[in-house]
Structures are given as C-alpha cells and as structure tokens.
C-alpha cells in the first residue's frame, strides 16, 4: 500500500529514469534543427571527424566517455540524415523489393536509442519501429571503429534490416555488413570488418566457436572482438533459448546405446502399464459411482502417476468433483508422513512418469518384467557402501582391494548406462508426443520448438533422449555425437563489453535480466496512445467446448470482415483449428513450422479485411501487420489466444500483434481446464469450486476479471519454476564458461604471438618442475623414474650417473633439466627454417589444447550427468560439479603442457633438418628400460597424434646409457573413448586406461 502511494507521488522508477532523459531528447532535436542548414557533405564529415577523434583516445573507457558527450549531436546527425532521405523520397531495394524511405525518428525512438546506448533493455511495443531505433546507438558506437553488432532472430531479418537501415549508414559514411548462413569465411570476415554488422545469434555464436576452437591462425579467424551488441527480441534469446547451447560436434566412433535392444520390451511394458491404468480408471469410475470419492481419487492419482495422458483421467479431470477428489489424494500423498505409502503406491505400477519434471522411474514390478532373472540390473549399486565393505575385508590385499573396487566401479557404470537408456525410452514413449514436441520427416526426428512451433532441423535433444525418440519412431538412430566446441548463447553475449537489448516484452522478466545479465529494463512509452481493448479470458470445462467457442468467435468476426489473428501454442492445435475452420468453410492461412518460407508475406497480409490467420505463438515475429482499408472502422485486428501460455510474456507478445501505432484492435484469450497449464499448475482447484457454485452447463463459459488473476497466478508459478531451472543451468554453465575463457585466451595468445617460443618456454618452465616434483618430492625419491621420463620425452641422453640428481635439491634439478631441454631445443630449431619453426611451435601448442580440450568437454558432460546421481546421496550436485570440474581442469592444463613437452622433439617442419638434428644427438640405445611409475601408459602413448612426423630412434649399443624411447612411428592409432582399450584388457578405452578421474 505504502509503495503504491509513493508510486503515485513520485512515479515509478521507470518513469523517473525516462524523465531524466527528457532534456537529452530536447537537445537532439535542437541539434537536428541546426543541422538542417548543413550540406550533405558537411553532415557526413561529422562521422569521419568523430571517428578520428575517438580513435586517438587511449582506451575504451575514454572512448565511451566521449561517446556519451557527443550523443545528442550524433543522434541528431542520424535523425537529420533520415529526414533528408525521406524528403528526397529516396528509393532503393530491400531483399529485391523496391522501397522508398519514409521514416524520421520519433521522440520515443530517440529515448529508446539512448536506453540502448547505455547498455540496457528497451521494451518497446510491436510496431514502434525498433529497427529504426537501433540505428542511433549503432551509429554512435560504431564510431569507436571496434565494430557494432545487431543480433536478429533470423537470417532474413538480418539481411532485410542491413539493407534497409544500410541506406542511412552509407549516407553517413559508415559501412554495413550482414552475416548469412551460407557465407564462406572470407565473406564473413569482410562483413565483420564493417563498422556495423547484422546477423543472427547462432551465426555470431558459431563464428566465435570456429574462431576459437578450430582456426589456427589469425588469418583464419573471422571475428574481430566483442565491443557492442544490440540483441533484438532479447527475451526470446536470453530466456527462451537459455536451455539449448550451440554445439559444434562430430560423431563418436562407436555408439554404445542399447535403445534398439530395449525398445520391444519397453513397448510391451508401456502397453501393460496402459492396460493397468485403464483398469484402475474403470475401478475408480465405479467407486465414484458408489459415492466413494476418496478411493476413486486415490485410484485416479495412481493413474496420473502411471499414465498422465490417460484418456479417462483427462475426462474425469473435467468433472469438478472428481478433479477435487484426485487433487486431494495427490496432495495428501505428498505429505511427509505418507512418503512410505506413496512409495507403495508407486510400486503397484510398472513405472512412474512425472510430467512436470519429465522424469521416469521403474518400480520393482517393472524391473522384474524387463529382466526376470536379475531385476537388480536396473538398480544403481551403492558404491560407497560397497567400497567400505571392501576396505573392511581383512582377507584382501591392498592390490586385490583396488582391483575389486575397479570392478565394482565398472559394474556401476554399466548399470547406470542401462538405467539411463531405459528412462529415456520411457520418457520418449510417455511424455513426448509426435507432432507436438517433434515431427518425423525424411526418416528423421525433427524437434519442434515449443514456443514458436518452428521446426529446428539439426538440433538434437541431449543426453540420449533424441536417440530414444528415434528408436520409438523406428527411424535411423543417429550416432551419439561428441562435442567439439560448445557455448550457450547467453555466455556468448556475456563476451561483449557492452550489451543492449530490445523487445516488445521484457517487463515480466525484468528481475531475471537484472540478476543474471545485469541488464536493466526501461519501458518506453508508445508513440501514440495504445487503443487496444483486452477482453477478459473465457474459461471452459473442456477443450472441445473451448475450441467450439473460438470457432464461433472467428465466424462472427469473419462475417463482419474484421481480420482475426488466432494464436496457438502448438502446431497440433493450429492444425486442429484449421480443420474445424475448413468444415465451416472459412478461408484462412496457417502459419507454422511447415510454411515458414512465405511466413513474412502471410503475416503482412493478416490485417486485410476478412482474413483469418492461424499462427503458432511466435511465428512471423518481426513482421509488421498493417491494417487494410476500412479495417480500422471494423475495430482493427482482433487477436484470439486459444490457450494461455506458460509465460505471461508470450501472451503479451500475441496481444501486441494488434493495435500498433495507435491503431484500433482487440484481444481475447480462451482457456479450458484441460489445458496443460491448468492441469499442471492450475488454479484448477479454486476454479472448480467457483464453477460448481455457478452450476456450469455444457458449452457455458466463465468470464470475470478475478479469473484472469487465477490464471495469472498459475503462470507466475510456472515462470518462477522455469526461472529456477534456467538459473541452475547457467550456474552449471558458468563453470564451463570460466574454463573456456582461460583456454580460449591462451589459444589466442599463441595464435597472435610473434614469438611462440616464449609460450613453449613457459610450458617448459611450468611443466618440468611439476614433473620433477612428482618423482622426487615423495617419501622415496624415484630417480630412476625421473631419468626414464626425461629420456622418453626429450632426446637428452641423460643417465643416472651423469645427471647426479641425488646431489641437488628438487628445484635445482628442475632448473638443471630446463636448461638442458632449452639448449637441445635451440639446437633442434637452428636446423630448421625460422618461419616454419614458428608455425610448428604454434601448431604444437594448439594441437595439444584442441585435442585435450575436446576430451575434457566430453568428460565434463559425463560429470554433469554423473553428479545428478549423487543428488540422491544428499549432496548438492552443483557443489560436487564445481569441485570436480576444478580438479579436472587443473589436470587438463597439466596434461596439455605435458603433451606439448612430449611433442616438442617429435615434430619437425622439415625432414632433412630433423635428420641433421638427430645426427648431433648423443648416441643412445634401445635396450634398457628404466623402471617407470606409469609415466607413459599405453593409453597415454596411444593417443599421441603425430603432427608433423614421427622420428626414428636408434643407435649403437653403449654401456651405461639409457634408451631414449622415441619410438619409430607410433604403432597404435588414436583411440576413441568407446573403442577397445589398446592395453588389451578387453574393456572399452573410456572404462580402462582412458577413464577420466
Ligand atoms: P518493431 O520491430 O518495433 O515491431 P518495426 O521496426 O518492424 O517495428 O517497424 C514497424 C513499422 O513502423 C515499419 O513498417 C516501419 O516502417 C514503421 N516505422 C518505424 N519508425 C517509423 C517512423 N519514425 N516514421 C514512420 N514509420 C515508422
């Protein structure tokens, strides 16, 4: 109450902030007035003058400060240029369509521009002209010469906007580029070199990954830094896409899944469960008939656990009384005191499915069904207990204990993989529906984006789910892929020194933008007052009644020639409505994944008299709907929402499609108790009561603004939950992000370095002492091991006697070796061509980084899956993940360095030079092998790639010298993680020598 009063007096924070920008807008307009008298050349000359001045400033901070000072003048230059183009009826083509320039920035657009320049999110309603708004801050920030990026949602918009707004930039003497999916690296580089570059988030992101994970020279990289970006539809990118990272991947060598094997059994199991649930539902119906609602509710709750989409269940949920009984049963079971009972209840089913959390769990019955001989094949062993038991077993030697533990570990891995396969199959059968979450096309499972209804070819669900769905649909099961490089869009955008965003709907998610991205939202007022009429929701018992009502409303508008835009949450719903309209003989267009080619065109025509357009939630976003002749008098465009979306924001987007720029327009949402939102998070219970009180008849609806609130409460609950999920994903991702930053920075330093040898020497300086310590800083220094390691890594021909390691302190030994290694290395390189040596040095480091980093990514994936299993042991998976990820990272960095050392003398740019070098080496022999402490396991050896060539070792017998194990061409190939281990154990490499931590 108090805050409400304060708000009345002071205005909201947003209003106060905008009020402070008022004087700046006035100054822009004053400058604009002055500039009217300038010649074109004089106006244009300002660009070059500023750019020159800003370029001289010492750093970005100083440059930003200067930009802030010249903002009013610079924005005025852009606005003035826009006016000149308009006055001249400047004609041009955009995406092969003729156009005439007809825009000059409105004051609210100037406001939006200031907000964007300051690195905030500008919320501007649809049709307010965000495309034009962005020209102001892009122009200003491009003056630094560091490149300014505008991120659009699709390739078409990137090209359209670059060509369209490009008229303004080129008029002012700035260059503009645009990234398109099919461009070659050379073309991309040119686009990034422009002052301003338009492109989609995934193109920007993938270019980053390729530049940092694959390019080995500066010339191969296409981007040139991350200075300023404006993200269009920022909510959709930072919030909706928060869960799907960009991944560059290659297929793994061998697939280990068993989806094919389990599919027939799982199909039977699902069938058995469905029969069981149908029987339970009939029993429940009988109980309800007898008036025993409690038992009925209890039975139906069981059905809900076992088959959430059971037809009878859905029907019963329509009946307020039964629904209440079921909800009551559910609620009571989730009390702590009844955990045991809930467990029993679940055991009476074959498995349980949780729709909300997407989880699937086998019961004892289910396990027996799948493997009557060994139901325990689906239970994860309690490793900690088993280990303790092994440790306590007096009859075992230490060695035997280790062996036993390794066996148990291996056993546990196999079980885990099996359980995982089965759980994914169950999810595929029970939660994922064809034509809703995915479609099958050309023998492929293609994901359908739940928000947009667009197909997302090329994307795959992670974690084996995609393969499970492929198995279910009987299409070719693609091999698991291995991640070569990955980043989430969010983390890509965090690279920018300054980030801004624009969208029609950010306010409801303002807290999330602030907490996670440090982006504040300013709501910019519309240019003209909004004339849209938002009607109350209409609420029905069943979907069927709801759709009938929707059709009636469409018929009604259509009869009056008022255009209607119907929004749906899924492709399936769009098609259902389309069929119903066909029956009514109402001509209409359907916008969904299947027709996105003509999408922009169809949307543009949606405002013509009498048109009916059905569209999934965000299809056709970014295209303006202009009203046809006479339509304003009919009330403008009418928007009908056929379901409330999980997020209020998406509903607001749909509403925002009408009544642009002061046009008339109206909107209404239809809701039914069978909608997912209502079923899962419903205010259903409360509403059921209300409905009963009113004694609702078939086809009758409820409508009251209080009910809108109830729906909104449900939405808020889901939003909150989704926010927590995204936050958690990001928490996990942050760990990777820090590691990626370290690795990519190192990589780029090496690429950029004029003297890559300094990097090689840094590696020697760090890695050699660490190794020496490993051998010597232990209870019993292992001198022989050290000698062996030195000789297998470097061609130094060191012997125990000559090196006299015993006589020096550990650190001195390290320095002694470092000097010798560097000396030998100088000699080796002196035989080679200097420029070639430089590329070779870069190559040695990059190669080690890339190979091991990719392995590391794989191991991190596995870790991430693994820590969730530990969640059961009362440990916080995130903390576990962080600790282990850190250890793994330390190990990775060490491994990279060791690999660099290892390849240092095994690579050459030129064979002749190499032979010359070999001739200078001390003689060595191949006979004696010093004892080692596993310094060079078969696996470690096997995975060494041979960048340039392998060198032959050999020589005369000689007494007292130790062999240098510079093997002739490595006989073992690089092993994939799923291939048999080269040590001959018969296990997979990943479970044997290649096991990570
Ligand atoms: P948004 O992305 O904010 O929904 P667009 O950038 O697609 O809006 O622009 C919507 C329409 O408004 C476009 O047709 C554009 O030509 C028009 N428009 C934008 N700004 C102006 C302006 N200052 N004067 C006239 N028309 C404008």
């Amino acid at each position: 109450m108090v805050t409400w009063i304060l708000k009345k007096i002071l205005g909201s924070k947003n209003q106060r902030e905008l009020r402070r920008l008022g004087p700046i807008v006035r100054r822009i307009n004053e400058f604009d007035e002055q500039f009217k008298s300038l010649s074109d050349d004089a106006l244009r000359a300002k660009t070059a003058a500023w750019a020159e001045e800003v370029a001289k400033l010492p750093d970005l901070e100083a440059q930003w400060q200067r930009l802030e000072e010249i903002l009013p003048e610079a924005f005025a230059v852009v606005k003035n240029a826009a006016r000149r183009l308009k006055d001249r009826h400047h004609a041009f083509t955009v995406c092969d369509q003729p156009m005439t320039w007809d825009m000059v920035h409105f004051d609210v657009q100037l406001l939006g521009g200031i907000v964007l320049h300051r690195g905030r999110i500008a919320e501007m309603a649809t049709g307010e002209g965000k495309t034009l708004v962005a020209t102001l801050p892009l122009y200003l920030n491009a003056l630094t010469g560091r490149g300014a990026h505008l991120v659009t949602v699709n390739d078409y918009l990137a090209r359209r906007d670059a060509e369209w707004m490009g008229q303004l930039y080129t008029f002012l003497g700035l260059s503009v580029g645009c990234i398109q999916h099919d461009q070659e690296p050379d073309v991309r580089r040119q686009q990034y070199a422009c002052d301003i570059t338009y492109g989609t988030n995934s193109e920007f992101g993938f270019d980053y990954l390729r530049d940092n994970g694959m390019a080995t020279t500066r010339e191969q990289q296409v981007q040139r830094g991350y200075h300023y970006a404006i993200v269009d539809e920022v909510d959709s990118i930072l919030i909706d896409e928060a869960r799907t990272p960009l991944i560059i991947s290659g297929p793994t060598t061998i697939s280990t899944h068993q989806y094919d094997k389990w599919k027939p059994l799982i199909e039977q199991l699902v069938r058995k469960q469905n029969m069981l649930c149908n029987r339970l539902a009939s029993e429940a119906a009988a109980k309800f008939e007898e008036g025993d609602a409690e038992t009925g509710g209890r039975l139906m709750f069981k059905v809900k656990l076992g088959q959430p989409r059971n037809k009878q269940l859905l029907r019963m949920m329509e009946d307020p009384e039964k629904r209440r009984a079921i909800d009551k049963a559910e609620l009571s079971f989730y009390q702590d005191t009844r955990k045991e009972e809930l467990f029993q209840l679940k055991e009476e089913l074959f498995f349980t499915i949780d729709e909300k959390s997407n989880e699937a769990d086998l019961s004892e019955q289910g396990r027996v069904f799948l493997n009557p001989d060994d139901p325990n094949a689906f239970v994860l062993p309690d490793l900690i207990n088993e280990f303790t038991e092994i440790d306590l077993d007096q009859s075992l030697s230490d060695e035997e204990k280790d062996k036993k533990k390794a066996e148990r570990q291996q056993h546990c891995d196999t079980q885990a993989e099996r359980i995982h396969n089965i759980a994914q199959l169950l999810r595929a059968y029970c939660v994922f529906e064809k034509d809703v979450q995915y479609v099958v096309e050309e023998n492929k499972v293609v994901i359908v984006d739940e928000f947009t209804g667009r197909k997302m070819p090329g994307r795959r669900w992670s974690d084996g789910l995609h393969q499970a769905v492929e198995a279910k649909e009987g299409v070719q099961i693609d091999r698991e892929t291995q991640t070569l490089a990955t980043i989430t869009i969010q983390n890509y955008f965090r690279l920018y020194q300054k980030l801004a965003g624009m969208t029609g709907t950010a306010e409801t998610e303002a807290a999330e933008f602030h907490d996670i991205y440090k982006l504040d939202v300013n709501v910019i007022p519309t240019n003209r007052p909004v004339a849209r009429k938002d009607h109350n929701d209409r609420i029905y018992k069943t979907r069927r009644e709801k759709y009938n009502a929707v059709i009636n409303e469409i018929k009604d508008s259509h009869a009056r020639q008022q255009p209607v835009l119907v929004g749906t949450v899924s492709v399936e719903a769009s098609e259902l409505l389309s069929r119903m309209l066909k029956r009514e003989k109402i001509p209409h267009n359907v916008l969904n994944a299947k027709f996105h080619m003509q999408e922009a065109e169809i949307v543009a025509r949606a405002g013509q008299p009498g048109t009916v357009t059905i569209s999934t939630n965000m299809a056709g976003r970014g295209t303006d709907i202009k009203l046809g002749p006479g339509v304003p008098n009919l009330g403008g465009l009418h928007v009908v929402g056929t379901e409330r979306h999980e997020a209020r924001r998406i509903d607001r987007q749909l509403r925002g499609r009408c009544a642009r720029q002061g046009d008339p327009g109206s909107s209404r949402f239809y809701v039914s108790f069978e909608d997912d939102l209502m079923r899962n998070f419903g205010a259903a219970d409360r509403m059921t009561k209300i409905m009963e009180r009113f004694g609702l008849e078939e086809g009758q609806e409820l409508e009251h603004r209080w009910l809108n609130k109830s729906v909104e409460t449900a939405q808020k609950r889901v939003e909150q939950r989704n926010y927590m999920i995204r936050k958690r994903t990001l928490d996990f991702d942050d760990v990777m992000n820090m590691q990626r930053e370290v690795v990519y920075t190192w990589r780029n330093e090496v690429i950029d370095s004029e003297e890559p040898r300094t990097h090689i020497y840094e590696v020697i300086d760090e890695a050699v002492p660490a190794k020496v310590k490993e051998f010597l800083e232990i209870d019993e220094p292992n001198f022989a091991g050290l000698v062996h390691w030195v000789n297998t890594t470097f061609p130094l021909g060191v012997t125990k006697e000559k090196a006299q390691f015993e006589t020096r302190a550990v650190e001195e030994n390290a320095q002694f070796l470092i000097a010798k290694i560097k000396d030998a290395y100088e000699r080796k390189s002196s035989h080679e061509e200097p420029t070639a040596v430089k590329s070779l040095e870069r190559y040695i480091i990059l190669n080690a980084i890339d190979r091991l980093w990719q392995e590391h990514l794989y191991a991190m994936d596995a870790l991430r899956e693994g820590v969730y299993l530990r969640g059961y042991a009362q440990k916080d998976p995130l903390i576990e993940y962080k600790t282990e990820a850190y250890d793994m990272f330390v190990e990775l960095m060490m491994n990279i360095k060791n690999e660099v050392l290892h390849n240092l003398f095994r690579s050459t740019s030129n064979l002749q030079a190499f032979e010359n070098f070999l001739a200078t080496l001390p003689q060595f022999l191949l006979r004696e092998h010093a004892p080692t402490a596993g310094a060079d396991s078969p696996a470690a050896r096997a995975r060494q790639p041979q960048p340039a060539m392998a060198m032959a070792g050999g020589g005369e017998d000689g007494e007292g010298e130790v062999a240098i194990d510079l093997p002739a061409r490595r006989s073992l190939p690089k092993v994939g993680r799923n291939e048999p281990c080269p040590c001959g154990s018969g296990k997979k490499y990943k479970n044997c020598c290649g096991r990570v931590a």
Side-chain angles (χ1 to χ4, degrees), residues 39 45 105 174 205 213 234 305 332 363 440 471 534 612 671 688 744 771 883 891 946 949 995 997:
S39 69
H105 303 76
L174 289 183
V234 63
L305 284 174
S332 73
S363 70
V440 177
D534 293 329
V612 176
V671 177
T688 317
Y744 283 1
K771 265 288 173 202
T883 329
E891 198 180 312
Q946 292 303 295
M949 65 155 282
R995 176 188 298 282

Side-chain angles (χ1 to χ4, degrees), residues 655-724:
R655 288 210 148 117
R657 303 298 291 267
C658 70
R660 51 175 287 281
Q661 291 284 343
D663 283 347
S666 53
S667 72
R668 181 186 309 275
F669 275 86
Y670 284 81
V671 177
S672 92
F673 278 8
E674 290 178 349
D675 297 353
D676 287 343
L677 175 75
M678 303 300 283
R679 282 199 305 126
N680 288 335
F681 301 92
D685 197 38
R686 226 174 100 199
M687 291 219 204
T688 317
K689 273 190 207 141
I690 301 175
M691 282 183 66
E692 271 178 350
R693 198 172 320 139
F694 287 92
L696 217 60
E697 303 279 314
E698 164 88 15
Q700 248 186 345
E701 82 249 354
L702 277 179
E703 188 187 325
H704 196 280
R705 66 193 155 81
W706 289 354
L707 290 176
N708 302 352
K709 277 263 178 272
S710 292
V711 176
E712 234 174 75
T713 313
Q715 287 177 309
K716 278 188 193 158
R717 226 174 279 151
V718 191
E719 281 168 17
Q720 193 62 29
R721 184 172 137 267
N722 286 342
Y723 169 60
M724 294 315 290

Side-chain angles (χ1 to χ4, degrees), residues 49-59 63:
W50 279 323
E52 199 184 316
E53 184 200 331
V54 172
K56 285 197 193 115
L57 295 172
D59 54 28
Q63 292 183 336

Side-chain angles (χ1 to χ4, degrees), residues 40-82:
D40 279 4
D41 284 337
L43 189 70
R44 198 172 293 132
K46 287 184 179 289
T47 308
W50 279 323
E52 199 184 316
E53 184 200 331
V54 172
K56 285 197 193 115
L57 295 172
D59 54 28
L60 189 59
E61 274 308 312
Q63 292 183 336
W64 274 348
Q65 206 178 336
R66 184 62 188 140
L67 293 189
E68 195 64 37
E69 289 162 12
I70 60 174
L71 182 146
E73 224 177 320
F75 277 23
V77 164
V78 182
K79 178 170 174 178
N80 201 273

Side-chain angles (χ1 to χ4, degrees), residues 269-300:
L269 187 68
V270 170
R271 220 173 300 135
K272 269 179 95 90
Q273 171 110 328
N274 290 352
M275 269 156 60
L276 172 67
C277 287
N278 283 334
R279 207 176 59 231
L280 289 171
S282 308
E283 276 173 38
K287 287 288 171 197
F288 278 122
E289 198 75 11
E290 291 166 20
D292 185 356
E294 198 181 324
T295 317
R298 192 188 142 103
L299 286 166
M300 285 320 285

